[in-house]
Amino acid sequence: MVRVSVVCCLKLLLLLALGGVTMHVPDAGVLAPLGPLRLDGHLSFHDVAAAARDFGNRCSLMPAAVLHPGSVADVAAAVRRVFQLGERSPLTVAARGHGHSLLGQSQTAGGIVVRMESLGGGAMMRVHAGADAPAYVDAPGGALWINVLHETLKHGLAPKSWTDYLHLTVGGTLSNAGVSGQAFRQGPQVSNVNQLEIVTGRGDVVTCSPDENSDLFYGALGGLGQFGIITRARIALQPAPKMVRWIRVLYSDFASFTEDQEALISADETFDYIEGFVIINRTGILNNWRTSFKPQDPVQASHFQSDGKVLYCLEMTKNFDPEEADIMEQEVGVLLSRLRYIQSTLFHTDVTYLEFLDRVHSSELKLRAQGLWEVPHPWLNLLIPRSTIHRFATEVFGNILKDSNNGPILLYPVNRSKWDNRTSVVIPEEEIFYLVGFLSSAPSASGHGSVDHAVSLNDKILDFCDKAGVGMKQYLAPYTTQQQWKAHFGARWETFERRKHMYDPLAILAPGQRIFAKASLPMSS
Ligand code: FAD
């Protein structure tokens, strides 16, 4: 648990340092302009505590102030001023998307948090749907993906690649990768961006794309916020499907499950979305894997017993137009006939495209109502090469984990050829690798539902990966030392470091990733 509180003098230091920002402080009202820096938005101090929290709920770094930018120029002005203060100033700048990081990655101790959502409104989105060129949307870096979807749906269009949850920001997921069940076909979100506008660590506003300033473009994609703040992204669009057939089936045999997943992601004719999850229930009582789904055969389904086995749920969707539902039924029938799931466990439901994409939000609302959303989330996300996934599964689902009641365990394959190796994202070397996400919640202070319990299981899994030479890479990695980051990047560290020196030479940006530290500051831990 990392807890850092700011000393008041840092606030004073910030005032002196910025020396002239128009500031709003709730109890003092609007302060008089103090100097040459003019903002369209404002700096505030009343919401520093909120900016010191994130979804992970395990780390709290108190910033000195929060910038609510009114324009891209505000972001540039603030970063430029901090850059001009030089390396001896302790000030850093953390872009905050929706604060859905797991361990303080969008926080800064004593620095400035830039609330990117202030620049995320729908009015700032531009959809281009000309007949002459592929459609795209120019979206602010602080836009939530759900709002990008609402905006593009007005034109009958939608982005191609998603995350499972849409209340995340464009800049936040593009700084990681953005992976979901569409990635096997479309690539991750970082493979579906045509252009970025970035405020670098020097405060310059740079437009970049594969053809223009391409080093910065590729560096920023998956760049963990290290090279600049993404203020706009040009995202590729496609015609939006109307409806989705959403299917779940169960396997008790891991080999059949993964072979079917791999066959599906490698086929030309296949589903539009392919994921999977693991259900460990040694008690034999199944959890709610199929709530709100209809059984294909209700009689058979009612007889299904899990017998306490570990089960693997394959989840797929097929997009369709209601007027052509019979064609979809036929295609789905053919695809399902090739799979080896337990026949009595075929369930499906038909929902709108929007309902499907926004599915996790419905769970969020339920969890919030029970006070179970704002609890610690000691998540562990691993990318495991195909060649070691069986060994991994045998040990982790057979020995280390006794149940999956602490949260979902995702497991699905993606293909490396859909990822652009010029970006900063680090993935295993093999063509097929698996995303395995242990999405634990820790609502209790002690015992089975505690952070300590989840972390000890995570540590056992990591320890096994290390000793067994699984060759995994962490996604959303929470490393705390540069040594760990060097090992993570491997041969790509040199490029990552070179880009840092080029675009953020004073290490001002995204200090919460704990990759580089400003000369005047120790590496945070
Ligand atoms: P933040 O957490 O606020 O920021 C993340 C990092 O990016 C920080 O270092 C921050 O400084 C930096 N940053 C933020 N905005 C910018 C910007 N505009 N420019 C440059 N740097 C910036 N990820 C997936 O890939 N697939 C999933 O299916 C998926 N599902 C998720 C479901 C849930 C419920 C949650 C909580 C997270 C999920 N994620 C998933 C992880 C998600 O990608 C990360 O949480 C990510 O951090 C995005 O969250 P955010 O937009 O709130 O960004």
Side-chain angles (χ1 to χ4, degrees), residues 55 95-101 105-106 116 141 163-165 168-169 171-173 175-176 178-179 224-225 228-230 373 379 475-476 510 513:
F55 179 78
R96 177 182 170 89
H98 204 44
H100 276 54
S101 289
Q105 287 88 343
S106 55
M116 295 305 295
T163 46
D164 293 343
Y165 173 63
L168 305 168
T169 62
T173 69
S175 297
N176 286 301
V179 201
L224 307 171
I229 297 179
I230 299 169
W373 183 260
W379 286 11
Y475 180 53
L476 309 171
Q513 297 280 2

Side-chain angles (χ1 to χ4, degrees), residues 432-447:
I432 291 183
F433 61 91
Y434 281 78
L435 186 142
V436 187
F438 300 90
L439 311 184
S440 307
S441 292
S444 348
S446 61

Side-chain angles (χ1 to χ4, degrees), residues 38 69 86 97 126 142 162 186 224 471 496 524:
R38 297 273 180 263
R126 298 273 175 275
W162 293 100
Q186 309 289 358
L224 307 171
F496 200 79
S524 37

Side-chain angles (χ1 to χ4, degrees), residues 190-303:
V190 289
S191 296
N192 290 280
V193 181
N194 305 333
Q195 190 189 72
L196 296 172
E197 178 189 76
I198 290 179
V199 173
T200 69
R202 298 172 192 268
D204 299 328
V205 183
V206 181
T207 300
C208 56
S209 70
D211 305 318
E212 183 185 12
N213 300 309
S214 59
D215 187 62
L216 178 58
F217 177 75
Y218 290 117
L221 293 171
L224 307 171
Q226 295 305 302
F227 313 123
I229 297 179
I230 299 169
T231 46
R232 180 177 55 76
R234 181 164 290 180
I235 300 156
L237 301 176
Q238 65 183 5
K242 290 194 173 73
M243 294 293 294
V244 169
R245 164 73 46 107
W246 183 6
I247 302 161
R248 285 182 176 172
V249 293
L250 292 183
Y251 293 73
S252 56
D253 175 38
F254 187 73
S256 308
F257 169 64
T258 48
E259 279 164 28
D260 280 358
Q261 280 189 319
E262 289 175 22
L264 286 175
I265 69 159
S266 308
D268 291 335
E269 295 294 322
T270 189
F271 290 100
D272 294 297
Y273 157 102
I274 297 165
E275 285 202 6
F277 53 92
V278 183
I279 304 167
I280 306 172
N281 80 111
R282 307 248 191 265
T283 57
I285 301 162
L286 275 182
N287 64 15
N288 57 356
W289 68 278
R290 57 183 175 75
T291 322
S292 76
F293 283 65
K294 286 182 294 222
Q296 181 82 1
D297 182 331
V299 178
Q300 269 198 50
S302 66
H303 292 136

Side-chain angles (χ1 to χ4, degrees), residues 88-118:
R88 296 179 68 183
S89 154
L91 283 178
T92 54
V93 178
R96 177 182 170 89
H98 204 44
H100 276 54
S101 289
L102 297 170
L103 205 66
Q105 287 88 343
S106 55
Q107 302 180 28
T108 161
I112 303 170
V113 165
V114 183
R115 186 180 175 275
M116 295 305 295
E117 279 188 80
S118 304

